[in-house]
Each structure stands twice: as structure tokens, then as C-alpha cells.
Amino acid sequence: MEHQTRKSNLVLILDYGSQYTHLITRRIRKLSIFSLCISGTSSLKSITDLNPRVIILSGGPHSVHSENAPSFPDGFVEYVEKNGVFVLGICYGLQLVVQKLGGEVKVGERQEYGRMEIVVEKNDNEAGLFGMKSVGDTQCVWMSHGDEVVNLPTGFSVVARSQQGSVAAIENSMRKFYGLQYHPEVTHSPEGMETLQHFLFNVCGITADWKMEDVMEEEIKVINELVAPEDHVICALSGGVDSTVAATLVHKAIGDRLHCIFVDNGLLRFKERERVMGTFERDLHLPVTCVDATEQFLSKLKGIVDPEAKRKIIGKEFICIFDEFAQELEQTIGRKPVYLVQGTLYPDVIESCPPPGSGRSHSHTIKSHHNVGGLPKDMKLKLIEPLKLLFKDEVRELGKILNVPEAFLKRHPFPGPGLAVRVLGDVTQGNALDILRQVDEIFIQSIKDAGLYDSIWQAFAVFLPIRSVGVQGDQRTHSHVVALRAVTSQDGMTADWYNFEHKFLDDVARKICNSVRGVNRVVQDITSKPPSTIEWE
């Protein structure tokens, strides 16, 4: 799915740091329109190379008056006007348009945060933002701004105001510039998607022609163009949905020139190796070599407590194994593999890059993903990442088209570093990994038995580096504490904790304490994302 293949109908989002930016991308894709998100401070060439039909300037935490306030590049306005590109500014994006085109933005006397009612003030024709509304119509929207527009650029009109009288929406249909002071992409703006849909289809003339079948065909074409007829490819299978769909897609493209490897790094879940290998051989018919590297990984992780250090070590060891596997293949087939396939997803890419205006060349890193930031720079193999522009639900949809078994597609996400990021601290201390495997198995099986598995995005147990006093068998104990985490989400970018019934939690806690030696306390993580990440490390 190369950028250029979708340029004629591409909706490009320039990200200025809003926590909702990824939602804009997802909402637009749900309309069968291809959308990409890049940094708001990207070069003009980065933008023009993509040749977008529409550009959306996202919200952000900055003020346009700040010294390092991020902005679109020089020449942007001239480019969009010359090429007839539609521009929609949202929140900070609206204020940026106003300021750069000669209007005035000031610190608001009345800041607006949260739910707010707006009223349509002007509606000349269907080519406007509220072409489907009448003057005087009201709707509830989600505001989040401290600055406000006080003077519009020449040629612009106010088309909606808030109940406090602040500018809520502006447009200049002749210049194809539009702006919304609120966030139409969030569910707290109930009619926001209707507004976006009207803007994209009726105002901009976008065609809803983005289908997952087309994504599959395009990716197969890209893979065949990239991989020479005599080249061989390695795919690192983790047992998760992402790498499995990536492998199946590449296998469809190049057949038996794909060589899959499944590495048991000693950080897998309970009986994961047996279960996953059985699925690969029985259901997917993929050529998979299993490598037991438990000692290699755990020896390198001994004494390591920093989460980032653990991720980097694991990434490096994986590449060492892949390089060894490539050398062995070279002896067998007479050619050394050139590429490594990974199941990198769009949220991985987004989370490994940062808010503009931070002064960094990359955005602030939430965490190094094993398949983005955790790989060594001197890696010999070249990367193929066929899913890097897709969200998890889109990968599952692609997997269905590729006939990956539904039960496999519904598996909860599992991190590349495995249990290393679920054992807080040194993973080699005592029998932490064995305890965690048993606790996790009880938790997940209980969720399945209760019929809740498909309602939860991700569930797992965490081994905490603390002990607590307890009473078991009329004796005082000083044993381990484990945490249970279950969340609901659409794409892993944001998440809410799953609200289990008390009886379920009571049953699970009793099973764990009665079945797993060394555990005398079970706690539940009831934190959303943000402020937390889904994984603890």
C-alpha cells in the first residue's frame, strides 16, 4: 500500500499533537477513504509527494502565540491554492489557518473545554461546512481551546458560533479553506461524523473507493516489485495476529521463497510454543522453523530492570538469531535471504514517533516497539513491513480475506518482547516467569469460560516486584503480588479498563491464590489509556 497508489483520493492529516489525531485517520478510513497522518512540521516536499486531495490540520496542545508553535511549511498556502487542495483546520489547525492567512487569534477571555452547544449562523450553499443544516440549527460538540479567533482573514465567513459567542466554524469556499474550532472526530460531538462526511463527499468530491481487497492486491504488487525473482525472505512469526497476517500475505506473493521462523525466547505464555506451532502447521500451512533460544535471551536479560533496555536487548537478540537463520538457509538453498518481514502496524509507527513542537526531530517516544525502535541499526536484513499503514481491526479484516482462521484473528495482542514487559524488573529473578504463566493462563481461561474473550481487546497478568503479607493454611506468608489487566479498545491507541462483575474477579482471585504457589495477593489495574499505556512496561 504505497503512498503514491492512493494519492488521487488521499486525505492527508498534518498532526500537531492532539490526542485525537489518530481518531481522525480512523474515522475517515471507516468511510472507505484512504487517510494518512504525518507530522505537522513535515517538509513541503513530503506533502507534495503524496499529492493529497484534502489536507486536515489537526488540533494540538500548543498556542499559535508560542515561540516554538508548530506550523505547516513555507509555500504550503501557495501549493494548496495552486493545486485546488481542500484544507480543513480543526481546533489548533483552525487557529493556524486564521493566523497564517492574516486574521487574528488572541488568548480567550472565555476558555471553552468539554461539551458545548453551537449554532449555525450562515449557510449559503451546499458547498459549505453545514450545507446539510439550516441557519439556527444547534448541535452539541466537544471543545478544547484556550485561544480564540477575534478577526478573520479577508474573504472568510463565520458559519457557526458557540453558545458563548466564540467562533466555532469558518470557511472560505472560494479558496477552499475551512475550519472547525471543535473536535468532530470524537464521540462527544454526536453530529461530528455527519459534518466530516458531508465535507469530504459533498464539498471536496472524494470518492469512497478504499477497500481491503485493493490493499491486498496492491501489497502483493509492491512485494513482487521489491523482491527480485531469485530473492528469498525471512518472516519472524510471533504467534500473534500481525505477524501471521503479514506472513500469509507475503507467502501469497512469493510462495516458497518465504521462510518463517518462530523463536521461543523463554518469554512466551503458557504452552504458547506448542499451541502456536500446531496452528501454523495444521491451519495455515506455513513453512515454519522453530528455534529454542531461551538460554540466549534470558542470559542477556539477567539483572536488567529498565524497560527500554529490555526491549533493546530483545530486539538485538532476535536479529542475531535471524542472521544465523539466514546463514543456515544460505547453506541449504544456495542463496542468502535478503529481506525480513515484520508485522509492524500503524499505531506502532505513530507511538514510536512524537508531538510536533517538542524541538525533537522525532516525536516523544512512548516506548520503543520491538519492530520499530528496538532493532539494531547495523541489521543486515532489509525490512518488509506490509501492514505498517494499517490499524489492528484493518489487519483482521485483511486476514479474513486471506483465509486466516477466525479464531486466530480474534487472539488478543501479545507484545513482541513477550513476558519481559509483564514481569516488572529482572525477568530472571526466582521463578517469576513460571508464576506469571500460570496466573495468566487461569485469568485468560476464566475470561473464555465466561464468554467474555471477544468483548475484550486485551487481557493479561503482570508480575509485580513486591511481596505482601498473607495468611494461607493458618500460616503467615510473605508472597508475590500479581495484577490483572483487561481493556477495551478499537485500535490500541486509546483504551478503557474492562469492568468485570465482582463475582468473576472474586472467582479468579481465589483460583489464582489457591492454584499458584507463591502468590497471596491479586490486584486489578483500573487505569485507562491515557494516562497509562496498555502494557505496564
Side-chain angles (χ1 to χ4, degrees), residues 236-240 243 261-278 280 288-295 297-298 301 314 318 321-322 370 408 411-423 427 431-441 444 459-461 463 535:
L237 286 173
S238 66
S243 62
I261 177 173
F262 177 78
V263 180
D264 184 350
N265 58 4
L267 302 167
L268 302 177
R269 290 171 289 196
F270 186 76
K271 293 187 177 179
E272 180 81 349
R273 176 175 170 178
E274 296 90 332
R275 292 169 176 172
V276 168
M277 287 300 294
F280 288 152
V288 184
T289 298
C290 183
V291 175
D292 186 348
T294 300
E295 179 60 30
F297 277 84
L298 296 186
L301 290 168
I314 290 167
F318 268 127
I321 290 172
F322 300 152
H370 62 284
F408 203 86
R411 296 191 83 200
H412 289 181
F414 187 63
L419 299 183
V421 294
R422 294 180 180 175
V423 173
V427 301
N431 59 341
L433 285 168
D434 287 336
I435 288 175
L436 180 57
R437 287 189 184 98
Q438 295 176 63
V439 172
D440 190 75
E441 178 69 7
I444 298 302
F460 55 91
F463 182 92
E535 297 288 345

Side-chain angles (χ1 to χ4, degrees), residues 228-240:
E230 67 278 3
D231 285 344
H232 285 252
V233 177
I234 291 174
C235 181
L237 286 173
S238 66

Side-chain angles (χ1 to χ4, degrees), residues 29-228:
R29 289 189 183 189
K30 286 293 185 184
L31 298 174
S32 297
I33 301 170
F34 187 52
S35 176
L36 280 177
C37 175
I38 65 174
S39 171
T41 54
S42 296
S43 68
L44 185 61
K45 187 177 187 304
S46 298
I47 297 170
T48 60
D49 282 351
L50 296 174
N51 194 18
R53 180 76 167 273
V54 178
I55 295 176
I56 294 179
L57 311 176
S58 87
H62 313 280
S63 166
V64 291
H65 303 298
S66 300
E67 184 178 350
N68 295 317
S71 178
F72 44 71
D74 292 341
F76 174 83
V77 173
E78 292 78 6
Y79 163 73
V80 296
E81 293 195 320
K82 179 181 178 181
N83 291 276
V85 178
F86 292 83
V87 176
L88 172 66
I90 293 177
C91 197
Y92 175 82
L94 173 148
Q95 296 170 7
L96 195 59
V97 166
V98 169
Q99 186 198 56
K100 293 297 183 182
L101 294 186
E104 186 179 4
V105 178
K106 286 187 176 181
V107 175
E109 294 181 6
R110 303 179 300 271
Q111 298 180 338
E112 296 180 321
Y113 295 101
R115 288 184 176 87
M116 187 77 60
E117 191 173 85
I118 66 169
V119 58
V120 176
E121 190 171 276
K122 184 178 180 182
N123 180 13
D124 290 337
N125 53 63
E126 291 189 3
L129 277 172
F130 298 105
M132 66 294 187
K133 301 289 184 182
S134 300
V135 173
D137 283 354
T138 61
Q139 59 180 284
C140 187
V141 301
W142 188 258
M143 293 283 195
S144 182
H145 67 100
D147 293 348
E148 65 175 337
V149 174
V150 293
N151 285 309
L152 292 180
T154 303
F156 278 76
S157 301
V158 176
V159 291
R161 290 187 183 272
S162 72
Q163 60 190 135
Q164 296 189 144
S166 298
V167 173
I170 63 173
E171 65 185 31
N172 183 331
S173 56
M174 293 294 292
R175 297 181 70 178
K176 296 183 170 60
F177 275 91
Y178 302 81
L180 298 172
Q181 186 59 75
Y182 61 91
H183 289 274
E185 71 274 19
V186 302
T187 54
H188 298 305
S189 297
E191 296 177 60
M193 273 309 298
E194 181 184 343
T195 302
L196 270 181
Q197 190 167 339
H198 168 76
F199 174 71
L200 293 171
F201 290 135
N202 299 333
V203 177
C204 305
I206 290 283
T207 303
D209 63 351
W210 190 64
K211 304 181 185 67
M212 204 49 62
E213 290 84 357
D214 295 334
V215 172
M216 181 184 72
E217 294 301 326
E218 288 165 7
E219 278 303 330
I220 289 173
K221 179 182 177 183
V222 168
I223 293 165
N224 281 321
E225 289 174 351
L226 182 66
V227 180

